[in-house]
Amino acid sequence: MLNILKVDHEAQFNDIGAGIVASLLQTRPQAALGLATGSTPVGIYRRLVELYREGSVNFSQARTYNLDEYVGLPADHPQSYRQFMEEHLFRHVNILPHNTYIPSGSENPEAAVTEYDRLLEQAGPLDLQILGLGHNGHIGFNEPANKLHSRTHIVALDDRTREANARFFRSPDEVPTHAITMGIASILHAKQILLMAKGEDKAEIVARALKGPLTTHCPASLLQTHPNVTILVDAKAGRFI
Ligand code: F6R
């Protein structure tokens, strides 16, 4: 079932997104959370940090599993997704470092793929998977293709994805060409999914993902098969839905 929440203001967007995470942790403190990086969830993480400081949310027993990581960037590289998570969430809340899992893309990516699948299997279905949405319909870094992978794998990033992410790097050439990502089956295995999108530039792909045909050429369209998806959009991204 797709539950669409369309909001007018950034603050509402962040309150609702953070509220979903916070209420899950209130009822299930040991929840396993699937996390995303990118611009869209930044305000939600900021709000979660505020809720933590107010005493409304507690991460001490939570476990987190990030969707993806660049291949070739060491964990302490400023643009690695590990650093992103530290900067926007982990270092500001009481999550235990050993409960934060992110594929490690620097030394031996093939071994990291196997290890991440082992960790996900051990975790069982994630209680909540947070997703952003790529302009090409990617979720995690499952890029449009004739075939999609079900489990964790190494992926060559689309030119469009590299261009979109170049804003975080000093030059577009520095954007890694490959990433490790959770696969589609692992994403769909989560008990609950929160897909978020903001801005005019996402309006068309949001509509294709939610109302278009199910196709591997728009990986997010496969979310239509999941029984519990919440779509959180601002008015601009939700223009066609
Ligand atoms: C990030 C991720 C990506 C992003 C997507 C949207 O971990 O898996 O799928 O969610 O590229 O990125 P933003 O939010 O920057 O538009």
Side-chain angles (χ1 to χ4, degrees):
M1 204 196 73
L2 302 177
N3 170 29
I4 298 175
L5 303 174
K6 214 188 284 190
V7 300
D8 287 323
H9 302 292
E10 173 82 22
Q12 286 172 294
F13 188 97
N14 297 335
D15 275 350
I16 293 174
I20 290 173
V21 177
S23 50
L24 171 62
L25 285 173
Q26 278 148 14
T27 50
R28 191 167 151 72
Q30 75 282 25
L33 305 172
L35 300 181
T37 61
S39 310
T40 315
V42 166
I44 290 175
Y45 295 150
R46 198 185 314 120
R47 183 74 193 117
L48 275 172
V49 171
E50 287 169 6
L51 291 174
Y52 166 71
R53 289 184 179 147
E54 290 163 14
S56 313
V57 65
N58 179 359
F59 289 86
S60 63
Q61 296 178 58
R63 287 158 301 140
T64 62
Y65 297 83
N66 265 77
L67 283 165
D68 38 26
E69 178 60 283
Y70 288 119
V71 167
L73 297 191
D76 60 357
H77 187 285
Q79 301 310 335
S80 76
Y81 285 169
R82 165 62 71 182
Q83 279 310 304
F84 177 101
M85 290 309 306
E86 292 293 339
E87 188 185 321
H88 292 286
L89 184 66
F90 296 160
R91 78 162 69 115
H92 307 288
V93 299
N94 64 339
I95 192 151
L96 299 173
H98 65 261
N99 284 338
T100 65
Y101 301 101
I102 303 183
S104 138
S106 62
E107 306 262 300
N108 183 344
E110 280 83 14
V113 163
T114 312
E115 172 62 6
Y116 211 57
D117 269 345
R118 193 188 63 76
L119 287 168
L120 288 172
E121 201 153 309
Q122 207 173 49
L126 302 182
D127 292 287
L128 171 67
Q129 176 67 61
I130 291 177
L131 297 173
L133 177 63
H135 293 102
N136 59 4
H138 74 211
I139 46 176
F141 278 135
N142 293 277
E143 302 281 33
N146 290 333
K147 292 179 189 170
L148 297 178
H149 292 255
S150 57
R151 306 281 166 208
T152 308
H153 57 286
I154 296 172
V155 62
L157 297 176
D158 265 12
D159 289 344
R160 205 166 165 206
T161 301
R162 293 187 66 231
E163 269 162 38
N165 290 3
R167 65 192 194 278
F168 300 114
F169 291 80
R170 274 178 309 191
S171 95
D173 296 341
E174 282 183 22
V175 184
T177 54
H178 290 75
I180 300 182
T181 181
M182 265 165 68
I184 288 289
S186 304
I187 291 173
L188 291 174
H189 196 44
K191 293 181 195 163
Q192 184 188 355
I193 293 179
L194 171 64
L195 175 72
M196 310 158 300
K198 288 195 279 200
E200 183 69 43
D201 55 319
K202 296 279 174 81
E204 209 178 300
I205 195 64
V206 165
R208 266 181 68 202
L210 305 188
K211 303 222 160 133
L214 297 190
T215 166
T216 59
H217 293 281
C218 177
S221 67
L222 301 179
L223 296 171
Q224 295 177 39
T225 65
H226 191 279
N228 187 2
V229 183
T230 299
I231 323 287
L232 177 58
V233 286
D234 65 6
K236 289 178 177 161
R239 198 148 75 92
F240 303 129
I241 55 167

